[in-house]
Amino acid sequence: MILLRTIAETREAIAAARERDLTIGLVPTMGALHEGHGALLRQAREETGYVIATIFVNPTQFDRPDDFQKYPRDLESDLALCERWGVDVVFAPDAEEMHPSGAPVTSVDVSGVGSRLEGEFRPGHFRGVATVVAKLFNIVSADRAYFGEKDAQQLAVIRRMAADLNFPVTVVPVPTVREPDGLAMSSRNQRLTPEQRRIAPVLYQALCEAEGLCETGRMTRGGSRSAAVVKQGALALLARTPEIRVEYLEVVDPATFQPVDTVTSDVRIAAAAWLGDVRLIDNLLVSVKLGR
Ligand code: AMP
């Protein structure tokens, strides 16, 4: 495995892999790697001939300076994990390498799918994400790029961007990896106190409650389930834990992330909540079969 710090060296490595007829798999990350990232990298290892992990804590996608400052960073441990997961190249540029002229003035905005939920509560977040991923797609020119369903709205934003701008890459979704108690793995979980960590799985429990209500909740006259009732049930469960401050919990269309009023087909239930100064997000795709 090699560690590269510059765009030029990374392009050379990719060109050499192409010479060897290898397919290229890209996994963009912000480091502080855990088994969630491991799932993406392992899948890339299985499906492509040359795996490149990028590690870049992208300043332009943080809406709060303190979140950027406190974001966990541990390159040494990340490199050991990448080695274990069979990565070929780690591209870990510094901010100067990625943005030599300061903050970029050119940006990618994915409206619609990126405008609500995370887009609403973290202004500028998806612009930062889409712009840096567009840069990485241009630097790495991968055949397949892997993104986690943990950040389902981000995945939808990237898919839409890749389609709209004709990036010649297949965007591959990878299911969320969870701790045994259900908490979705996240680099930010490191910042939870032991007490907060004990409480944190309640967010997943609320999503499971909502999932159950999609299946069994009261039918409307039209034969579908009310999204408001599903939402109320999940929020009632969260209200029992005063330490949790819910930012949003919504029942949305899985492709567009627009809210639905009635659950007539598959939906995604997405939520964001604060525990102290740590912001947790999670979501579940709910397959709905009505008429049972
Ligand atoms: P991050 O380092 O948080 O920017 O995440 C890098 C990639 O890993 C993104 O595509 C995330 O969606 C994905 N990821 C993060 N946590 C998980 C998880 N628990 N399960 C699956 N994918 C994840």
Side-chain angles (χ1 to χ4, degrees):
M1 186 181 85
I2 52 173
L3 168 65
L4 299 177
R5 295 292 199 170
T6 68
I7 293 169
E9 290 167 312
T10 303
R11 286 204 163 119
E12 268 172 40
I14 299 294
R18 288 245 176 257
E19 287 278 297
R20 293 160 58 205
D21 265 346
L22 298 173
T23 53
I24 314 291
L26 167 67
V27 180
T29 83
M30 296 204 298
L33 302 181
H34 49 69
E35 283 296 325
H37 301 107
L40 275 64
L41 286 162
R42 287 199 185 97
Q43 192 168 328
R45 179 73 286 164
E46 275 169 29
E47 296 177 354
T48 62
Y50 197 73
V51 177
I52 170 157
T54 66
I55 298 180
F56 180 56
V57 184
N58 171 32
T60 65
Q61 73 185 68
F62 284 81
D63 52 313
R64 289 175 303 117
D66 67 310
D67 190 28
F68 176 65
Q69 273 144 24
K70 289 184 197 160
Y71 199 84
R73 293 160 171 91
D74 187 350
L75 185 61
E76 212 173 299
S77 141
D78 290 347
L79 293 176
L81 286 169
C82 283
E83 183 99 53
R84 192 197 309 159
W85 292 324
V87 170
D88 294 297
V89 176
V90 174
F91 172 48
D94 61 13
E96 170 68 19
E97 179 69 10
M98 284 299 270
H99 302 302
S101 333
V105 294
T106 306
S107 60
V108 180
D109 268 301
V110 182
S111 57
V113 62
S115 57
R116 296 198 61 257
L117 309 185
E118 291 300 288
E120 192 177 328
F121 285 93
R122 300 188 66 191
H125 169 64
F126 283 135
R127 177 182 304 137
V129 170
T131 305
V132 83
V133 172
K135 281 168 76 76
L136 292 172
F137 282 176
N138 282 329
I139 293 165
V140 172
S141 66
D143 298 290
R144 296 168 76 77
Y146 296 80
F147 293 87
E149 283 184 23
K150 154 79 173 30
D151 302 285
Q153 193 178 7
Q154 167 176 287
L155 171 62
V157 163
I158 301 296
R159 276 190 154 143
R160 188 61 205 246
M161 175 189 80
D164 283 355
L165 299 184
N166 300 90
F167 282 104
V169 61
T170 302
V171 174
V172 184
V174 179
T176 303
V177 178
R178 298 181 180 283
E179 301 285 357
D181 61 9
L183 176 66
M185 289 191 181
S186 165
S187 306
R188 289 187 179 85
N189 293 351
Q190 287 184 26
R191 295 187 38 233
L192 297 170
T193 64
E195 176 62 3
Q196 289 167 341
R197 173 63 191 82
R198 191 185 60 73
I199 294 167
V202 75
L203 187 61
Y204 174 64
Q205 288 154 17
L207 295 175
C208 293
E209 172 77 9
E211 179 180 34
L213 288 168
C214 284
E215 291 289 339
T216 61
R218 192 158 36 84
M219 285 278 202
T220 65
R221 250 187 263 151
S224 57
R225 319 269 184 201
S226 156
V229 172
V230 168
K231 215 173 125 166
Q232 268 164 27
L235 288 173
L237 191 145
L238 286 168
R240 284 189 236 144
T241 308
E243 294 88 343
I244 285 256
R245 188 167 63 77
V246 180
E247 207 164 63
Y248 64 78
L249 188 147
E250 294 289 344
V251 182
V252 298
D253 177 287
T256 64
F257 274 79
Q258 299 307 305
V260 301
D261 291 334
T262 54
V263 181
T264 50
S265 56
D266 293 359
V267 290
R268 202 172 276 279
I269 301 164
W274 291 87
L275 246 182
D277 68 350
V278 180
R279 187 172 182 276
L280 305 174
I281 62 168
D282 201 350
N283 69 88
L284 274 186
L285 181 67
V286 181
S287 299
V288 176
K289 290 176 208 75
L290 291 174
R292 280 197 289 160

Short mmCIF file of all heavy atoms in Angstrom, two decimals, residues 111-117 153 251-261 268:
data_model
loop_
_atom_site.label_atom_id
_atom_site.label_comp_id
_atom_site.label_asym_id
_atom_site.label_seq_id
_atom_site.Cartn_x
_atom_site.Cartn_y
_atom_site.Cartn_z
N SER A 111 -29.71 20.87 -6.39
CA SER A 111 -30.94 21.33 -5.73
C SER A 111 -31.96 20.20 -5.74
O SER A 111 -31.73 19.15 -6.31
CB SER A 111 -31.47 22.59 -6.41
OG SER A 111 -31.69 22.33 -7.77
N GLY A 112 -33.08 20.42 -5.09
CA GLY A 112 -34.08 19.37 -4.99
C GLY A 112 -33.66 18.37 -3.93
O GLY A 112 -33.86 18.59 -2.74
N VAL A 113 -33.00 17.31 -4.36
CA VAL A 113 -32.63 16.24 -3.43
C VAL A 113 -31.74 16.75 -2.29
O VAL A 113 -31.78 16.24 -1.16
CB VAL A 113 -31.98 15.06 -4.20
CG1 VAL A 113 -30.71 15.47 -4.90
CG2 VAL A 113 -31.71 13.88 -3.30
N GLY A 114 -30.97 17.80 -2.56
CA GLY A 114 -30.05 18.31 -1.53
C GLY A 114 -30.58 19.50 -0.76
O GLY A 114 -29.89 20.05 0.09
N SER A 115 -31.83 19.88 -1.00
CA SER A 115 -32.28 21.14 -0.41
C SER A 115 -32.91 20.98 0.97
O SER A 115 -32.86 21.90 1.78
CB SER A 115 -33.23 21.86 -1.36
OG SER A 115 -34.31 21.02 -1.66
N ARG A 116 -33.47 19.82 1.25
CA ARG A 116 -34.15 19.67 2.56
C ARG A 116 -33.29 18.88 3.56
O ARG A 116 -32.17 18.51 3.27
CB ARG A 116 -35.50 18.99 2.37
CG ARG A 116 -36.46 19.85 1.53
CD ARG A 116 -37.89 19.43 1.69
NE ARG A 116 -38.37 19.54 3.05
CZ ARG A 116 -38.53 18.52 3.90
NH1 ARG A 116 -38.28 17.30 3.54
NH2 ARG A 116 -38.97 18.73 5.11
N LEU A 117 -33.83 18.62 4.73
CA LEU A 117 -33.17 17.83 5.78
C LEU A 117 -31.73 18.30 6.03
O LEU A 117 -31.54 19.41 6.51
CB LEU A 117 -33.24 16.33 5.45
CG LEU A 117 -34.63 15.78 5.10
CD1 LEU A 117 -34.58 14.27 4.90
CD2 LEU A 117 -35.66 16.13 6.14
N GLN A 153 -28.85 10.67 2.16
CA GLN A 153 -29.15 11.86 1.35
C GLN A 153 -27.90 12.28 0.56
O GLN A 153 -28.00 12.67 -0.60
CB GLN A 153 -29.64 13.01 2.24
CG GLN A 153 -30.26 14.14 1.44
CD GLN A 153 -30.80 15.25 2.31
OE1 GLN A 153 -30.61 15.27 3.54
NE2 GLN A 153 -31.48 16.21 1.70
N VAL A 251 -40.36 11.34 6.96
CA VAL A 251 -40.65 10.22 6.08
C VAL A 251 -40.56 10.77 4.66
O VAL A 251 -41.32 11.68 4.30
CB VAL A 251 -42.06 9.65 6.34
CG1 VAL A 251 -42.33 8.44 5.45
CG2 VAL A 251 -42.22 9.29 7.82
N VAL A 252 -39.58 10.27 3.88
CA VAL A 252 -39.34 10.89 2.57
C VAL A 252 -39.30 9.85 1.45
O VAL A 252 -39.09 8.65 1.68
CB VAL A 252 -38.00 11.69 2.57
CG1 VAL A 252 -38.04 12.83 3.58
CG2 VAL A 252 -36.79 10.79 2.81
N ASP A 253 -39.43 10.38 0.24
CA ASP A 253 -39.25 9.55 -0.95
C ASP A 253 -37.75 9.19 -1.04
O ASP A 253 -36.90 10.08 -0.93
CB ASP A 253 -39.69 10.38 -2.17
CG ASP A 253 -39.47 9.63 -3.47
OD1 ASP A 253 -38.30 9.49 -3.90
OD2 ASP A 253 -40.46 9.18 -4.04
N PRO A 254 -37.42 7.91 -1.24
CA PRO A 254 -36.01 7.49 -1.18
C PRO A 254 -35.14 8.12 -2.28
O PRO A 254 -33.93 8.27 -2.08
CB PRO A 254 -36.05 5.98 -1.38
CG PRO A 254 -37.46 5.57 -1.22
CD PRO A 254 -38.33 6.76 -1.45
N ALA A 255 -35.71 8.48 -3.42
CA ALA A 255 -34.89 9.03 -4.50
C ALA A 255 -34.77 10.54 -4.43
O ALA A 255 -33.70 11.11 -4.63
CB ALA A 255 -35.45 8.61 -5.86
N THR A 256 -35.89 11.22 -4.09
CA THR A 256 -35.89 12.68 -4.15
C THR A 256 -35.70 13.34 -2.79
O THR A 256 -35.46 14.54 -2.70
CB THR A 256 -37.23 13.19 -4.72
OG1 THR A 256 -38.27 12.82 -3.79
CG2 THR A 256 -37.51 12.59 -6.09
N PHE A 257 -35.90 12.58 -1.71
CA PHE A 257 -35.85 13.11 -0.35
C PHE A 257 -36.91 14.18 -0.08
O PHE A 257 -36.78 14.98 0.83
CB PHE A 257 -34.43 13.58 0.03
CG PHE A 257 -33.62 12.43 0.56
CD1 PHE A 257 -33.05 11.52 -0.32
CD2 PHE A 257 -33.48 12.22 1.92
CE1 PHE A 257 -32.35 10.42 0.15
CE2 PHE A 257 -32.79 11.12 2.41
CZ PHE A 257 -32.22 10.23 1.51
N GLN A 258 -37.96 14.17 -0.87
CA GLN A 258 -39.09 15.06 -0.58
C GLN A 258 -40.04 14.32 0.37
O GLN A 258 -40.19 13.10 0.28
CB GLN A 258 -39.84 15.44 -1.87
CG GLN A 258 -38.97 16.20 -2.89
CD GLN A 258 -38.30 17.42 -2.28
OE1 GLN A 258 -38.96 18.29 -1.72
NE2 GLN A 258 -36.97 17.49 -2.38
N PRO A 259 -40.66 15.05 1.32
CA PRO A 259 -41.53 14.39 2.30
C PRO A 259 -42.76 13.77 1.63
O PRO A 259 -43.24 14.29 0.62
CB PRO A 259 -41.94 15.53 3.23
CG PRO A 259 -41.63 16.78 2.52
CD PRO A 259 -40.59 16.51 1.49
N VAL A 260 -43.23 12.68 2.19
CA VAL A 260 -44.46 12.07 1.69
C VAL A 260 -45.54 12.22 2.76
O VAL A 260 -45.25 12.26 3.95
CB VAL A 260 -44.28 10.57 1.33
CG1 VAL A 260 -43.22 10.39 0.27
CG2 VAL A 260 -43.95 9.74 2.56
N ASP A 261 -46.79 12.35 2.34
CA ASP A 261 -47.91 12.46 3.30
C ASP A 261 -48.42 11.09 3.67
O ASP A 261 -48.78 10.84 4.82
CB ASP A 261 -49.07 13.27 2.67
CG ASP A 261 -48.69 14.72 2.50
OD1 ASP A 261 -47.82 15.19 3.27
OD2 ASP A 261 -49.22 15.36 1.59
N ARG A 268 -37.97 6.32 2.89
CA ARG A 268 -36.82 6.36 3.78
C ARG A 268 -37.20 7.24 4.97
O ARG A 268 -37.83 8.29 4.79
CB ARG A 268 -35.58 6.90 3.07
CG ARG A 268 -34.30 6.47 3.77
CD ARG A 268 -33.07 6.84 2.98
NE ARG A 268 -32.67 5.92 1.93
CZ ARG A 268 -31.99 4.79 2.11
NH1 ARG A 268 -31.67 4.38 3.32
NH2 ARG A 268 -31.65 4.06 1.07
#
